[in-house]
Amino acid sequence: MFDKILIANRGEIAVRVIRTAREMSIATVAVYSEADRDGMHVRMADEAYLIGPAAPAASYLNVDVILEVAKRSGAQAIHPGYGFLAENSAFARRVVAAGLVWIGPHADAIDAMGDKLRARQAMAKADVPFVPGGTEALDDVAAAHRAAAAYGLPLALKASGGGGGKGLKVAHTLDEIESAFTTARREAEAYFKNGTIYAERYLENPKHVELQILADKHGNVVHVGERDCSLQRRHQKLWEEAPAQIPLKVRRAMREAGVRAAQTIGYDSVGTIECLVKGDEFFFLEMNTRIQVEHTVTEEISGLDLIREQIRVAAGEELGFNQDDVAFRGVAIEGRVNAEDPADNFRPAPGTIAAYREPAGLGVRVDSAAYPGYTISPDYDSMIAKLIVWAPTRAQAVARLARAIDEYQIEGVPTTLPLLRALCDEPSVQNATYGTATLERFAASLCHPGPSTDARGKLREAESREAPQGTAQMIRVEVNDKLYRVRVFDLPQRTVTSGAPRNGSSRATPPRVGGKKNAAGASGNDVISPMHGVVVEMKVAPGDALAEGQVVAIVEAMKMMNEIRAHKAGTAAAVHAQAGDTVEANAPLVTIG
Ligand code: MV4
């Protein structure tokens, strides 16, 4: 086994790999960009190296620098995570040429599946059903019309170099074929520098189901079950679950065909066979030759650590177990928590997380690299965390996800948590009949003004349960020995806003009210006590230099400790109180000179 590996990635997946490596007694080398100096993966790895500016092309895609760091650090293998270089066969070859081990499939397998037309040809050879359509490139609009005649409408026009929905255009009528073909080609050339287009029948609202494959370098291939990834929006998955709720005979046939497909191309790592399922039929779509974001739900129902298996097979070890040894238990659901603004059509909303508290308890797992004060950079994707739940039954899993979402506190950036919470109450989600069109429709009904829909009501309800954002905060009030939780917006000046975190809200930064750092009353040069109370501590002496926001005194009122802060920078010209003094509301504590 390796002694040391380099992780050519960032964020949650880098953290995920570090965790498993540590359990395997493998030392880890992190790489980071200038935007990620405070990254969790940098803190957690045994060593870390700066590889360049924030822009991915200058850092996480910078092959030369990453290989240089691998050499310098003495790493024996490179784990690419997902995204960035994970499906870059040229990089995989360079890793191997440098005498290192690529923790992924052999480069020819990446190429075989990266070209979607080649993949369809390989599946045809392996007798794996694929979506009715061509296995040859379309030369021109006339060829696209012939495809429509052969396979029917609606017709999907796809980029052979694409995948994940990029470069996918749909023609619903014959009139739309010309423009769909030319746009698909133009996009394919722009995105993939490869204008090759093919056609297949477009299936409306199927389920998007994928099969997890695990293979070693000795010809052993097993599957680790299916995941339903139909709940996507703009080809970004939001909710993934395992197992997929599909007919037993579809499941059996898909598993058999998926293993056969992997064997056909001599696959030798973790990988995913993506399929569309419609009624009693399934169709191969594409294969992803990497570990995927949603691998976690498969881990939860199988008990396998897929990163561990991926590293073991890369090191040349045999799987060491058979298909019959892979058993499934219960149901797992992953919700992706992204910094996105539902009020702005779910656009990524990078920013700094002010307060952050993860849910926990039975059956709850959070894979994340976030922490209070963490800044989501606009240079990378906006995922904050993956919230994963496991339960013995699906109904319990949905209820557990709802519970965990309600427990999750993220302040400072809008997130997909309210949307995930609304999905937990959606009937087609509760009975697992949803398809690939469900989320687009659901989200559209949330975003577009118009008659109030059930979905919008649900989102509002979910949002109101959310931890308050912006200037709102939750305070607790006891009246007649009964506790009330009150949401307070825009606290006026002179109101207590700081003190012991009794309401459980952990803040990374001093609370801001109306944009001012000092919530306590301030008048001119005097820092005043905002309330009647007892001075517990004076933290400044005459002549001390004061920074804006610095705590000058602690005043106790009604058993609450209140930090009184300087409202501006300066020098403590006079100190008017000492520990033990009782002060009235508005009494000056310190004069800033
Ligand atoms: C399709 C399809 C229906 N018919 N192809 C999207 C991601 C990429 N891997 C392939 N995708 C699809 N290909 C045919 N012939 C449906 C999808 C699809 C999808 C389409 C629109 C909106 C959401 C979707 C979610 C998953 C899959």
Side-chain angles (χ1 to χ4, degrees), residues 275-294:
C275 296
L276 295 178
V277 174
K278 186 103 192 180
D280 287 349
E281 286 186 295
F282 78 95
F283 307 98
F284 170 86
L285 207 52
E286 51 193 70
M287 182 171 188
N288 299 317
T289 54
R290 59 171 189 273
I291 190 78
Q292 287 189 276
V293 176
E294 62 271 25

Side-chain angles (χ1 to χ4, degrees), residues 191-267:
Y191 289 135
F192 317 113
K193 298 183 180 69
N194 172 5
T196 310
I197 300 294
Y198 66 98
E200 56 185 42
R201 176 72 185 274
Y202 184 75
L203 306 180
E204 302 204 71
N205 202 24
K207 268 185 174 289
H208 188 258
V209 178
E210 54 187 36
L211 180 75
Q212 178 67 55
I213 294 292
L214 175 53
D216 66 19
K217 294 181 180 177
H218 307 273
N220 303 301
V221 181
V222 298
H223 70 78
V224 198
E226 307 78 24
R227 299 184 281 259
D228 189 333
C229 304
S230 302
L231 292 172
Q232 324 189 354
R233 194 167 142 66
R234 295 200 211 100
H235 302 298
Q236 291 296 312
K237 292 168 186 161
L238 187 73
W239 168 303
E240 301 107 333
E241 62 178 87
Q245 307 295 319
I246 51 174
L248 190 62
K249 72 180 249 216
V250 178
R251 169 184 292 171
R252 287 208 183 109
M254 204 174 131
R255 289 177 173 185
E256 215 170 276
V259 169
R260 203 162 62 236
Q263 280 164 341
T264 302
I265 57 164
Y267 204 71

Side-chain angles (χ1 to χ4, degrees), residues 31 81 91 112 136 141 152 172 184 192 216 319 340 364 373-375 417 443 452 506 535 540 542 566 574 582 585 592:
V31 294
F91 180 58
E136 302 297 332
V141 177
H172 294 273
F192 317 113
D216 66 19
L319 274 185
E340 280 175 18
V364 175
Y374 174 70
T375 298
L417 281 171
S452 180
S506 58
V535 177
V540 296
T582 296
I592 300 176

